[in-house]
Every structure is written in structure tokens, then in C-alpha cells.
Amino acid sequence: MEQRRARQRGSALKTVLLLLFAFMAIAASGAVVVFLWGYSTVEDVRQSSQEQYDQARSVATQQLRSMQVALQAGAEVEFYDDGCIVRGTGRTKTQRRVPCEVSIAITETETKSRWIVDYVVVDGKTVYAQEF
């Protein structure tokens, strides 16, 4: 009789351990899924930010090029709710280094976004201003 009770206690212990192991496996799987989802979300945000940064530099570079100023590497981009400002150093056609600032308004619809240059300042002088 005692052997039967011992077997029943051992069986209950195995069941509890099995349930505990199953719970831990489910929790670990859930943690892995949450980690992978969070990582992919962060990666998407980083890629989107890089694309916006590249777009801002491209728009500023094109605008300055039309004014015969070449934007140098290392320009800083500061984003706001409705646009951004690109600040950096440019070179004029005489190879003189000058500070540059390009303000860009960004309007977005469901299908596309528009990047419109508000103003351009080269060497402390406003050389372009959008007229409204």
C-alpha cells in the first residue's frame, strides 16, 4: 500500500514538473517572439530615419547645386514635425568654404510626400526664399 502511495506522489510530482516545464517553454517562446518583433520594429524605424536623412541631404544638395554650391559631407539634419533643416559646409565655384543652411517643408498625404525648399542661406545671406 505504501508503495502505491509513493508511486502516486511520484506521479503527481512528475505532472507538476511537466506543467512547470511547459509553462516555462511557452514563456520563453513568447519572450523570443516579443524580442524579434521589437528588433524588427526598431530596425524599420532606423531604416526609415536613414531614408529621411538621405532624402533631406539629396534635396539640399540639389538646391545648393542649382546655386553653384557643392554641399560637403557631414551635413547635419534636424527634423521637425513639418520639415527639416540641413546645415553644413559648402564649396563655391571658387573653392571657398561657406556655411550653408537649407530649410525644407515636408507635406505628406496617404500616397506620397512632398519636399519643398523654404529657404537657402549661404555664407549668412539668404539666396533663396520660397514665396507663398
Side-chain angles (χ1 to χ4, degrees):
M1 182 117 149
E2 286 204 26
Q3 196 174 21
R4 181 185 278 173
R5 283 187 190 159
R7 236 185 283 148
Q8 286 176 349
R9 270 191 237 126
S11 175
L13 182 62
K14 286 181 184 178
T15 302
V16 169
L17 288 175
L18 181 63
L19 289 174
L20 183 63
F21 177 75
F23 175 75
M24 289 175 62
I26 290 170
S29 297
V32 167
V33 167
V34 167
F35 172 77
L36 291 175
W37 175 79
Y39 178 77
S40 68
T41 301
V42 167
E43 188 63 25
D44 289 346
V45 168
R46 187 191 66 74
Q47 184 175 358
S48 175
S49 295
Q50 184 63 44
E51 287 171 1
Q52 280 194 321
Y53 176 83
D54 292 344
Q55 178 72 21
R57 277 194 45 91
S58 175
V59 169
T61 299
Q62 289 173 0
Q63 185 67 36
L64 288 168
R65 185 179 300 138
S66 72
M67 296 169 182
Q68 300 181 346
V69 177
L71 184 64
Q72 302 297 293
E76 295 177 4
V77 181
E78 191 172 348
F79 285 96
Y80 300 99
D81 290 339
D82 59 349
C84 64
I85 294 179
V86 180
R87 291 184 183 94
T89 302
R91 286 198 186 270
T92 63
K93 56 184 175 177
T94 61
Q95 295 299 311
R96 190 169 69 95
R97 294 172 52 112
V98 292
C100 300
E101 181 176 299
V102 179
S103 175
I104 303 167
I106 304 170
T107 56
E108 296 191 24
T109 63
E110 290 181 19
T111 56
K112 64 179 180 177
S113 64
R114 290 184 47 187
W115 294 61
I116 302 167
V117 175
D118 283 332
Y119 66 81
V120 178
V121 176
V122 176
D123 201 17
K125 297 177 192 128
T126 302
V127 294
Y128 174 82
Q130 176 74 26
E131 294 182 20
F132 293 100

